[in-house]
Amino acid sequence: MRTYRFLALAAVSTAIVASPAYAEKGDVLVRVRAIVVAPNERSGPVTPAFPGSKVGVSDSVMPEIDFTYMATKHIGAELILATTEHKAQGRGTLSGVPTLAKTWVLPPTLTLQYHFLPDAKIRPYVGAGINYTIYYSTKASDELVKAIGPTSVHMNDSVGYALQAGTDIDITKKVFLNLDVKYIGMKTTARLNTGGAINTARIDIDPLVFGVGLGFRL
């Protein structure tokens, strides 16, 4: 009899531990990810002084945190918060200046998600939403200053769309592994002021953002 009671208790305990970490209506999910921001940049020339030039944008690796509010078991709204540092790189006729400038990018992004299998242990989702990108602490590189003289650099903020796909995979009742990828429409116009001489370049950054991390159901 004691053996049967022990086995029954073990089965109940296992069922509790293995129960899915799915979200119910009104729940808040918090995810902490490591992200790789990989720009798919396209740019025009830096004009008027550097015809035939292009501007590249470097990758960046940073932590990210996001919060998802579940309006229903299937529908969630996610706010994504992260900031990354990138280099604007000289290409074409500016390839002799490997780094033109450095900037920090703050792109808060809000997506509306659909969760396909809210009661399963593996729960894929897709999302779409809007992004507002702020460029700050933008500075000309030492290489650019040596090449053309003291220069101030400004990058315009932008508004764009965001697409998202990912999945949550249970680890415990309240903790899950998260895999996520986003495409963010992101652009800017860079303005270089060198002693009153103004050059500008239009840059479409449009990064893919790959993330992996842990999520927690509050």
Side-chain angles (χ1 to χ4, degrees):
M1 181 65 70
R2 289 181 179 177
T3 300
Y4 292 137
R5 288 178 180 174
F6 174 80
L7 292 174
L9 180 61
V12 171
S13 299
T14 300
I16 293 173
V17 171
S19 60
Y22 58 80
E24 296 286 353
K25 177 182 177 180
D27 279 354
V28 175
L29 308 180
V30 179
R31 298 181 181 88
V32 180
R33 303 184 182 106
I35 60 170
V36 177
V37 181
N40 297 288
E41 77 273 14
R42 302 178 304 281
S43 86
V46 181
T47 56
F50 304 100
S53 63
K54 298 285 184 180
V55 179
V57 182
S58 66
D59 295 352
S60 185
V61 179
M62 282 288 176
E64 178 217 68
I65 187 168
D66 69 75
F67 303 90
T68 301
Y69 174 76
M70 300 301 297
T72 71
K73 291 175 68 172
H74 288 278
I75 304 297
E78 181 181 82
L79 178 63
I80 302 153
L81 300 173
T83 188
T84 55
E85 186 181 26
H86 297 269
K87 296 177 181 179
Q89 301 168 324
R91 305 276 174 82
T93 56
L94 277 173
S95 59
V97 186
T99 301
L100 302 174
K102 295 181 181 179
T103 189
W104 283 87
V105 179
L106 177 64
T109 303
L110 181 66
T111 60
L112 188 66
Q113 299 174 334
Y114 184 82
H115 294 250
F116 292 97
L117 302 169
D119 297 332
K121 292 184 179 181
I122 299 176
R123 299 178 298 282
Y125 59 85
V126 294
I130 190 168
N131 156 264
Y132 184 81
T133 300
I134 301 165
Y135 303 88
Y136 67 99
S137 296
T138 304
K139 295 181 180 179
S141 70
D142 292 341
E143 297 134 305
L144 182 65
V145 171
K146 288 178 182 178
I148 66 173
T151 301
S152 63
V153 181
H154 174 76
M155 293 185 173
N156 293 339
D157 298 345
S158 71
V159 177
Y161 66 94
L163 302 175
Q164 177 183 33
T167 189
D168 295 323
I169 303 169
D170 280 349
I171 297 174
T172 71
K173 185 177 181 180
K174 289 186 175 290
V175 180
F176 50 91
L177 174 68
N178 175 254
L179 304 173
D180 187 270
V181 63
K182 302 178 190 71
Y183 176 87
I184 299 177
M186 188 183 297
K187 60 187 178 182
T188 189
T189 297
R191 183 175 182 270
L192 288 69
N193 185 336
T194 307
I198 305 299
N199 286 282
T200 61
R202 167 86 175 194
I203 310 166
D204 293 326
I205 302 171
D206 299 338
L208 284 169
V209 181
F210 303 94
V212 59
L214 292 177
F216 308 89
R217 181 166 62 90
L218 303 183

